[in-house]
């Protein structure tokens, strides 16, 4: 009896004390959602949504090219069918990203192999936008990933399906974990990957940035087939895992689309963990559950959160089956109404740490940090200016190859055909006008020669 009592007294629960253990997800009310959004049915592995403190952008379903909606953040409720779109791409839009320092500038990439930069007016679009302020062509196949530099202004990265990879120092190789997504964990010198195991179960793995030979931690999630998207909050060291809309086997695929969409199932849950430098390194906290599957998720930057409500993260969930965008706030339950400094440390603001020329010359700086205590909403002083390119030419058979990028999609080929057809028609008109002018000049010259000379 004494022995049993000793064992009971010596046992301690294995829960790790954490200020984020009771974080919960709060779904916005219906009037604060965005309804009647024609969300894209493309099956590319992308969030299809980008958010900042001014706008929400969503890749939409469209015919004859690619487009996305840009809606002012406060314009909630029902969105009219003829709402203006950004629709300059000749192929489907695969990803969109807002500039972290200039909230009116957004980048997009597409199946038409191009990356384009757009400048959105302060009040939003009044009509369709078809002309980008900058078009970038460097890939020979579709571009599926773009990312702005987090500290240097004016630097944009892109990755395409042309299988070009430059400067890889070391690569992780683990037979038990097939990687689909990877995220850097801030200044912790760790990497987090999501993927599938050799038994096709979804799993996550934590890696040491300096040694990728073996993962530090591997954890099985479940047996679903949808992709897991990782979202990391550097301020709280919290990791969010969001399931991706998945498709029922047996449905036929046409190009990058599946039909019919109403037969598809999905994962609408969001799991969250806390990451530490000590063992066990990865601690499960809680799970936000939802019956509605998510096509993608947008994330609000820190300066757009409601600090008075102890909101530490906010998702914008794309629900294809309802044509709905649903905000989900992650809340730390606190009774005090004062500013909670322990959950809002200094965070990267909207001021770049260095210019693009400085970064390209080899200079590196940490992000410029600022406090959220005043719930600041200060406009960035950085202004967007499209680079002016020197006029160069490479003429072959009368065609400037640098000015005329070869078509890479059927839509782009048709666009170029009609453009060239119009150019031929215009040149024929010019030639006819010049022939008429030459005939008139010849008649005047003949009359001048035949006229009597004055004595």
């Amino acid at each position: 009896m004494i022995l049993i009592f000793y064992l009971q007294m010596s046992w301690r629960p294995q829960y790790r004390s954490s200020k984020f253990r009771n974080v919960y997800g709060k779904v916005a009310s219906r009037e604060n959602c965005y309804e009647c959004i024609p969300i894209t049915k493309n099956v590319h592995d992308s969030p299809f949504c980008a958010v900042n403190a001014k706008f929400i952008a969503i890749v939409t379903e469209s015919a004859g090219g690619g487009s996305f909606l840009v809606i002012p953040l406060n314009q909630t409720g029902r969105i009219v069918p003829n709402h203006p779109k950004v629709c300059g791409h000749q192929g489907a839009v695969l990803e969109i990203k807002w500039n972290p320092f200039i909230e009116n500038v957004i980048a997009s990439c597409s199946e038409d192999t191009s990356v384009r930069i757009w400048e959105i007016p302060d009040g939003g679009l009044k009509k369709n936008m078809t002309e980008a302020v900058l078009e970038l062509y460097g890939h020979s196949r579709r571009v599926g990933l773009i990312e702005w530099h987090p500290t240097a202004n004016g630097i944009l990265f892109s990755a395409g399906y042309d299988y070009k990879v430059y400067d890889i120092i070391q690569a992780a190789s683990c037979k038990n974990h097939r990687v689909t997504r990877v995220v850097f964990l801030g200044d912790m010198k760790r990497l987090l990957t999501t993927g599938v195991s050799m038994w096709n179960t979804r799993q996550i793995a934590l890696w040491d940035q300096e040694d990728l030979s073996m993962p530090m931690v591997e954890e099985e999630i479940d047996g679903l087939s949808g992709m897991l998207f990782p979202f990391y909050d550097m301020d709280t060291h919290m990791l969010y895992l969001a399931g991706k809309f998945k498709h029922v086997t047996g449905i036929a695929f046409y190009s990058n689309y599946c039909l019919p969409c109403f037969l598809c199932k999905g994962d609408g849950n969001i799991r969250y963990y806390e990451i530490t430098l000590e063992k066990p390194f990865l601690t499960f906290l809680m799970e936000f559950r939802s019956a509605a599957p998510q096509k993608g998720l947008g994330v609000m930057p820190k300066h757009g959160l409601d600090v008075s409500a102890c909101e530490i993260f906010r998702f914008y969930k794309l629900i294809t089956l309802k044509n709905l965008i649903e905000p989900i706030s992650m809340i730390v339950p606190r009774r005090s109404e004062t500013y909670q400094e322990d959950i809002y440390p200094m965070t990267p603001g909207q001021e770049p740490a260095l210019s693009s020329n400085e970064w390209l010359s080899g200079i590196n700086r940490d992000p410029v940090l600022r406090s959220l205590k005043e719930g600041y909403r200060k406009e960035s002083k950085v202004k967007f200016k499209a680079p002016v390119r020197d006029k160069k030419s490479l003429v072959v058979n009368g065609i400037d190859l640098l000015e005329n990028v070869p078509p890479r999609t059927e839509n782009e080929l048709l666009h170029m055909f009609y453009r060239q057809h119009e150019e031929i028609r215009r040149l024929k008109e010019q030639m006819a006008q010049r022939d008429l002018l030459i005939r008139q000049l010849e008649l005047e010259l003949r009359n001048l020669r035949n006229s009597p000379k004055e004595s």
Side-chain angles (χ1 to χ4, degrees):
M1 187 69 182
I2 296 175
L3 178 60
I4 294 175
F5 178 77
Y6 173 78
L7 289 174
Q8 288 177 343
M9 290 295 292
S10 64
W11 180 84
R12 291 290 185 272
Q14 297 300 312
Y15 297 119
R16 179 181 176 276
S17 176
S18 172
K19 68 186 78 171
F20 304 112
R21 175 162 292 281
N22 296 318
V23 170
Y24 66 95
K26 182 180 179 181
V27 179
S29 58
R30 190 77 180 197
E31 59 268 19
N32 291 320
C33 297
Y34 304 84
E35 301 184 67
C36 303
I37 305 292
I39 302 170
T40 180
K41 296 182 176 63
N42 196 305
V43 299
H44 180 70
D45 294 326
S46 169
F48 296 119
C49 181
V51 186
N52 63 23
K54 278 188 176 182
F55 303 103
I56 177 171
I58 311 103
V59 179
T60 60
E61 190 67 12
S62 61
S67 65
F68 58 95
L69 283 173
V70 176
I71 305 169
L73 204 66
N74 57 4
Q75 189 181 326
T76 56
R78 183 184 179 90
I79 305 301
V80 296
N82 60 345
H83 191 282
K85 298 178 181 179
V86 178
C87 49
H89 281 286
Q90 279 77 49
V93 175
L94 299 182
E95 188 164 37
I96 48 179
K97 287 286 177 66
W98 290 105
N99 186 310
F101 309 117
I102 311 173
E103 293 186 321
N104 291 60
V105 173
I106 188 171
S108 62
C109 62
S110 167
E111 288 185 348
D112 64 9
T113 74
S114 73
V115 176
R116 305 192 183 198
I117 312 297
W118 314 85
E119 190 169 15
I120 308 299
D122 279 333
L125 299 177
K126 305 302 180 185
K127 60 180 181 179
N128 286 351
M129 178 177 285
T130 58
E131 296 294 328
V133 294
L134 190 61
E135 296 183 14
L136 305 172
Y137 292 91
H139 293 276
S140 59
R141 298 185 65 182
R142 58 181 175 152
V143 188
L145 178 66
I146 49 175
E147 192 67 60
W148 293 94
H149 197 288
T151 59
N153 181 43
I155 299 292
L156 181 70
F157 301 91
S158 67
Y161 285 76
D162 42 13
Y163 308 110
K164 293 179 181 177
V165 180
Y166 301 100
D167 195 26
I168 290 184
I169 298 176
Q170 60 173 320
S173 178
C174 183
K175 296 180 180 180
N176 297 331
H177 181 71
R178 190 165 67 250
V179 176
T180 55
R181 288 271 163 168
V182 62
V183 62
F184 281 92
L185 303 184
D187 56 355
M188 300 184 74
K189 294 186 177 180
R190 300 282 190 269
L191 298 175
L192 189 286
T193 59
T194 63
V196 293
S197 68
M198 58 190 304
W199 298 280
N200 285 330
T201 57
R202 298 197 296 186
Q203 64 177 189
I204 57 176
L206 188 66
W207 307 77
D208 185 342
Q209 184 176 313
E210 305 298 331
D211 182 10
L212 301 181
S213 58
M214 286 294 292
M216 301 170 60
V217 177
E218 277 185 335
E219 184 169 321
E220 301 286 334
I221 303 300
D222 54 37
L224 299 179
S225 60
M227 176 179 285
L228 286 173
F229 277 84
F231 300 91
Y232 179 66
D233 183 358
M234 186 175 61
D235 298 339
T236 61
H237 302 300
M238 287 182 64
L239 171 74
Y240 300 86
L241 290 181
K244 170 78 171 178
F245 192 89
K246 67 187 181 68
H247 305 272
V248 176
T249 57
I251 295 178
F253 281 80
Y254 300 90
S255 181
N256 285 328
Y257 298 84
C258 71
L259 297 172
C261 199
F262 61 83
L263 292 178
C264 294
K265 298 180 180 179
D267 182 1
N269 301 337
I270 301 174
R271 303 165 178 84
Y272 33 106
Y273 300 76
E274 188 172 16
I275 297 178
T276 58
L277 293 175
E278 303 83 22
K279 289 184 178 181
F281 304 120
L282 190 66
T283 305
F284 175 76
L285 296 176
M286 204 174 289
E287 182 175 9
F288 169 81
R289 292 182 174 272
S290 173
Q294 52 219 8
K295 176 74 173 181
L297 291 165
V299 175
M300 173 63 72
K302 275 298 178 76
H303 63 268
L305 299 179
D306 184 1
V307 297
S308 63
C310 295
E311 182 185 35
I312 59 171
F313 217 74
R314 189 192 305 164
F315 291 101
Y316 286 78
K317 176 177 177 177
L318 278 60
I319 307 176
T320 309
L321 303 182
K322 297 181 181 179
N323 290 335
L324 180 72
I325 311 296
E326 184 180 72
I328 302 172
S329 297
M330 311 308 294
I331 306 293
V332 177
R334 294 282 175 93
R335 293 183 179 180
S336 175
E337 295 181 358
T338 59
Y339 180 72
Q340 308 293 308
E341 293 190 9
D342 61 325
I343 62 175
Y344 295 116
M346 297 288 284
T347 190
Q350 292 178 272
E351 182 182 348
L354 65 166
S355 68
S356 57
N357 290 332
E358 288 175 326
W359 185 80
L360 291 172
S361 67
I363 300 174
N364 284 317
R365 295 195 187 107
D366 291 334
V368 179
L369 304 180
R370 66 178 306 160
S371 172
L372 297 178
K373 188 171 184 178
E374 305 302 325
Y376 80 93
R377 191 63 194 91
K378 188 177 180 180
E379 290 290 333
S380 173
K381 297 180 181 179
V382 181
K383 301 298 181 184
F384 177 75
K385 184 178 180 181
V388 179
R389 296 182 175 180
D390 296 333
K391 179 61 179 178
K392 299 179 181 179
S393 63
L394 178 61
V395 180
V396 177
N397 295 331
I399 300 176
D400 190 340
L401 298 182
L402 297 181
E403 184 70 21
N404 299 277
V405 180
R408 300 180 179 91
T409 64
E410 184 177 350
N411 287 331
E412 194 172 359
L413 181 63
L414 284 173
H415 179 73
M416 179 170 285
F417 169 77
Y418 288 121
R419 188 177 65 185
Q420 291 179 346
H421 185 74
E422 179 64 23
E423 181 70 14
I424 291 172
R425 184 194 62 79
R426 187 181 64 82
L427 291 173
K428 284 182 176 180
E429 288 183 354
Q430 288 183 358
M431 290 179 64
Q433 292 174 359
R434 289 175 182 176
D435 287 342
L436 181 61
L437 180 61
I438 290 172
R439 290 173 187 170
Q440 290 175 349
L441 291 173
E442 287 177 345
L443 287 174
E444 290 179 5
L445 182 60
R446 186 180 303 171
N447 292 334
L448 185 60
R449 288 175 176 174
N450 294 335
S451 61
K453 294 182 179 180
E454 296 180 0
S455 56

